[in-house]
Amino acid sequence: MISSRGKYATRALLHLAQREGQAPVSIQEISERQVIPLKFLEQILLTLKQAGFVTSRKGPGGGYQLAKSATKISLGEVVRVFEGPLALVSCASVTRFGECGCPHPEVCGLREVWIEARHALAQVLDLTTFADIVQRQSHLEAGHHAIHDFSI
Amino acid sequence: MISSRGKYATRALLHLAQREGQAPVSIQEISERQVIPLKFLEQILLTLKQAGFVTSRKGPGGGYQLAKSATKISLGEVVRVFEGPLALVSCASVTRFGECGCPHPEVCGLREVWIEARHALAQVLDLTTFADIVQRQSHLEAGHHAIHDFSI
DNA sequence: TATTACTCTACTAATTCGATAGACTAAGTA
DNA sequence: TACTTAGTCTATCGAATTAGTAGAGTAATA
């Protein structure tokens, strides 16, 4: 399970991705619109900034913006910043390794499966960018409105 | 990341699967061979028993055995017992649901991706049985021995 | 200079996690 | 019957993590 931090981070980033090219967005706006505790969100945005996903501007009219195109930010990258390696088990991680604990990692049938699982997860998360998510969301909203319009 | 409990559980189950059809295996043997703290393993095996994966027999010659064929126990089932739903986020879970927290789950582009990720993970874990893992392991061991033999 | 808005660090309450301890029960065996 | 073996069950504990709060500080703008 992904932590609240991680979930909030992805929601905040999606919020910014939806406003790409527009004026900076304040912490307060994100907090209110995305229903995220303000002081908690501050920390999260700071982490996102340190990780190079967003930039910030102080003072009136300030706020946060994406540091690069939403097409260049994958969900996998962001998840890794907040949750660590995607691997379910350290012996299946590409980055961390060796901290397996199991008696014979080199001939472990389980490890092979953990690696497969990690790969399946990475395949989805690393190939999905925030631009994709923005697009999906607008499709969903269009469909939702259509249904709503129809029901009137 | 999967907890120690979950990792130990899968290792213990693999140990039993490798001895399917043989005499019961004691907690102590599993503990020693798989390098798992004994008293911790007791609890884990109890959980595995309650979940219907293993049976036990007390007294001399007693121990644990698989409750059903290793072909009928998937890694996914076992992981779920110890880690809860496979979904990275509750709004993508088939079992738990509604505890999303996000403002509009019905039109959430992120949720779609979380669901995809859950599906990718489930595809691997639910289709892999402990019989598969036993087989993989013996292939690995055969290969490993072959290399070793060659180097002599 | 007042206001706006991000920055940074410390803290805390609650929960979870990994593990240990110990008393208890059941099944064989001499 | 008594002893031994081996699983059962519950309580506890320390350390780590998590979610969230608090507050003082800095930079930019009007």
Side-chain angles (χ1 to χ4, degrees):
Chain A
M1 277 277 176
I2 284 178
S3 66
S4 290
R5 270 190 153 73
K7 279 190 277 184
Y8 290 157
T10 55
R11 295 234 299 271
L13 224 33
L14 175 56
H15 193 93
L16 294 180
Q18 287 174 319
R19 284 151 188 80
E20 207 177 355
Q22 299 177 29
V25 184
S26 72
I27 299 180
Q28 202 178 29
E29 181 189 319
I30 303 175
S31 164
E32 286 170 2
R33 295 297 193 82
Q34 296 293 332
V35 192
I36 302 172
L38 187 105
K39 294 296 282 182
F40 198 19
L41 180 59
E42 282 184 4
Q43 294 177 15
I44 292 162
L45 284 167
L46 230 40
T47 306
L48 285 171
K49 186 184 178 184
Q50 283 156 15
F53 297 121
V54 300
T55 55
S56 63
R57 255 176 58 188
K58 288 182 174 180
Y64 284 89
Q65 285 177 313
L66 291 190
K68 48 187 168 183
S69 162
T71 61
K72 299 291 179 200
I73 304 175
S74 76
L75 188 52
E77 290 177 275
V78 179
V79 168
R80 266 180 273 247
V81 166
F82 289 88
E83 313 298 324
L86 295 186
L88 298 168
V89 158
S90 58
C91 65
S93 170
V94 180
T95 48
R96 288 182 202 179
F97 198 68
E99 318 151 25
C100 189
C102 100
H104 300 294
E106 67 284 357
V107 287
C108 180
L110 271 166
R111 186 167 156 251
E112 286 205 336
V113 184
W114 297 134
I115 289 172
E116 259 184 49
R118 193 218 84 102
H119 189 254
L121 204 55
Q123 195 69 11
V124 173
L125 299 184
D126 288 339
L127 295 182
T128 303
T129 69
F130 275 83
D132 297 328
I133 301 173
V134 168
Q135 208 185 333
R136 277 165 177 263
Q137 175 117 355
S138 61
H139 280 154
L140 278 172
E141 281 168 354
H144 195 256
H145 289 154
I147 290 165
H148 202 261
D149 292 350
F150 186 74
S151 70
I152 290 169
Chain B
M1 278 276 176
I2 283 178
S3 65
S4 291
R5 270 189 152 72
K7 278 189 277 183
Y8 290 156
T10 55
R11 295 232 300 269
L13 226 31
L14 175 56
H15 193 92
L16 294 179
Q18 287 174 319
R19 284 150 188 81
E20 208 178 356
Q22 299 178 28
V25 185
S26 71
I27 299 180
Q28 204 180 28
E29 181 190 319
I30 303 175
S31 164
E32 286 169 1
R33 295 295 193 83
Q34 295 294 330
V35 193
I36 303 172
L38 188 104
K39 296 295 283 181
F40 199 19
L41 180 59
E42 282 184 6
Q43 295 177 14
I44 291 163
L45 285 166
L46 231 42
T47 306
L48 285 171
K49 186 185 178 183
Q50 284 157 15
F53 297 122
V54 299
T55 55
S56 62
R57 255 176 59 188
K58 288 183 175 179
Y64 284 90
Q65 285 176 313
L66 291 190
K68 48 187 170 184
S69 163
T71 60
K72 298 291 179 199
I73 305 176
S74 75
L75 188 54
E77 290 177 273
V78 179
V79 168
R80 265 180 275 246
V81 165
F82 289 87
E83 312 299 323
L86 296 185
L88 273 56
V89 158
S90 58
C91 66
S93 169
V94 180
T95 49
R96 289 183 203 178
F97 198 68
E99 318 150 25
C100 190
C102 101
H104 300 294
E106 66 284 356
V107 288
C108 180
L110 270 167
R111 186 168 157 252
E112 286 205 334
V113 184
W114 296 134
I115 289 173
E116 258 184 51
R118 193 217 84 101
H119 189 255
L121 205 54
Q123 195 70 10
V124 172
L125 299 184
D126 288 338
L127 295 183
T128 304
T129 70
F130 276 82
D132 297 329
I133 302 172
V134 168
Q135 207 185 333
R136 277 167 178 261
Q137 176 117 355
S138 60
H139 280 154
L140 279 172
E141 282 169 355
H144 195 256
H145 289 153
I147 290 164
H148 203 260
D149 290 349
F150 186 74
S151 70
I152 290 171

